[in-house]
């Protein structure tokens, strides 16, 4: 039970890290094209939906496996949990439709005790927001260490890379080709307080476009 709780909380913290990174530390390179700060932020938020949903789905799947076995879920070394899902999400005037496949592997030490998780995901979909509409294909690779009971921190690392295109809904309705790279570097979270002790998460959004002159 303690190992399951550790896995669930570790995945919850990874989801929190992705969500928090979504709002801060965004580096935008528009290569002389016209894109407002709000448009860039909306593109990043919409392109990150599937990455965050994947990690949340991993946590819920682990929880479901635990509950359906009456609390006797055996976490075997090298055990793999995977799934493919299609999801529609609507929040106010924003919507997203995605298909995603993710995989999570339990890692162990020489004593066959779970020490961490290795995760990967591949997704593609379309999104619509108040300022932009677009499509993307993305892939993520993440790792979590710190599942052992005597570990005091969860240590996270990973990347999410997405490529796509988007059309702005205002001005000259410019069309952009987008490349997004999210990087979590040596992030360490205290197990008790769930606070970030060290490391960082950054997002780079690169845009090139057509019909990208100034707004009318």
């Amino acid at each position: 039970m303690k190992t399951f709780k550790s896995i669930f909380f570790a995945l919850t913290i990874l989801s929190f890290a992705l969500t928090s990174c979504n709002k801060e530390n965004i580096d935008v390179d528009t290569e002389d094209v016209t894109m407002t700060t709000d448009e860039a932020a909306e593109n990043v938020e919409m392109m990150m939906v599937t990455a965050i949903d994947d990690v949340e789905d991993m946590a819920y799947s682990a929880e479901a496996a635990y509950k359906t076995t009456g609390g006797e879920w055996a976490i075997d070394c090298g055990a793999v949990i995977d799934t493919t899902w299609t999801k529609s999400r609507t929040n106010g005037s924003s919507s997203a439709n995605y298909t995603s496949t993710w995989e999570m592997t339990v890692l162990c030490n020489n004593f066959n005790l779970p020490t961490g998780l290795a995760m990967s995901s591949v997704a593609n979909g379309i999104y619509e927001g108040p300022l932009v509409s677009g499509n993307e294909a993305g892939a993520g690779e993440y790792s979590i260490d710190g599942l052992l009971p005597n570990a005091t921190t969860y240590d996270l690392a990973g990347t999410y890379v997405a490529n796509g295109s988007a059309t702005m809904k205002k001005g000259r309705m410019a069309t952009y080709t987008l490349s997004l790279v999210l990087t979590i570097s040596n992030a360490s979270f205290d197990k008790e307080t769930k606070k970030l002790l060290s490391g960082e998460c950054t997002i780079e959004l690169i845009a090139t476009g057509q019909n990208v002159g100034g707004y009318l």
Side-chain angles (χ1 to χ4, degrees):
M1 181 175 178
K2 289 183 177 180
T3 301
F4 160 73
K5 284 186 175 181
S6 191
I7 288 176
F8 183 79
F9 282 127
L11 291 169
T12 301
I13 286 177
L14 176 57
S15 175
F16 169 76
L18 292 173
T19 303
S20 300
C21 189
N22 188 15
K23 299 176 181 178
E24 300 178 353
N25 303 323
I26 301 176
D27 179 23
V28 180
D29 181 358
T30 55
E31 298 185 3
D32 298 324
V33 302
T34 301
M35 179 183 289
T36 68
T37 301
D38 288 342
E39 288 170 342
E42 186 171 298
N43 272 304
V44 169
E45 180 177 359
M46 299 302 292
M47 294 176 79
M48 284 297 301
V49 165
T50 183
I52 296 169
D53 278 358
D54 274 341
V55 174
E56 291 179 350
D57 198 47
M58 290 179 199
Y60 297 145
S61 294
E63 181 180 36
Y66 179 78
K67 288 181 176 179
T68 55
T69 58
E72 297 298 329
W73 178 41
I75 305 172
D76 298 323
C77 294
V80 176
I81 302 175
D82 57 27
T83 193
T84 297
W85 55 260
T86 298
K87 183 177 292 187
S88 296
R89 171 193 282 254
T90 301
N91 183 11
S93 57
S94 299
S95 63
N97 296 278
Y98 289 94
T99 297
S100 179
T101 298
W102 60 257
E103 180 177 287
M104 177 175 65
T105 304
V106 178
L107 306 177
C108 295
N109 60 17
N110 293 333
F111 300 100
N112 292 324
L113 297 174
T115 59
L117 302 171
M119 296 150 287
S120 63
S121 64
V122 178
N124 62 80
I126 58 175
Y127 59 87
E128 187 92 18
L131 302 177
V132 304
S133 61
N135 62 84
E136 67 154 315
E141 296 281 346
Y142 315 103
S143 65
I144 299 176
D145 291 318
L147 298 186
L148 287 173
N150 62 348
T152 59
T153 62
Y154 291 119
D155 300 315
L156 282 56
T159 59
Y160 180 74
V161 178
N163 295 291
S165 63
T167 299
M168 308 303 108
K169 294 183 175 180
K170 295 184 178 181
R172 294 186 181 181
M173 298 184 179
T175 299
Y176 299 93
T177 297
L178 301 175
S179 177
L180 178 145
V181 179
L182 174 144
T183 304
I184 299 176
S185 302
N186 302 316
S188 182
F189 286 82
D190 185 278
K191 278 190 172 183
E192 293 295 327
T193 65
K194 307 301 188 292
K195 291 183 178 180
L196 178 65
L197 302 177
S198 61
E200 62 178 359
C201 179
T202 60
I203 292 178
E204 181 182 23
L205 178 68
I206 299 175
T208 57
Q210 307 170 20
N211 302 325
V212 294
Y215 289 160
L216 293 175

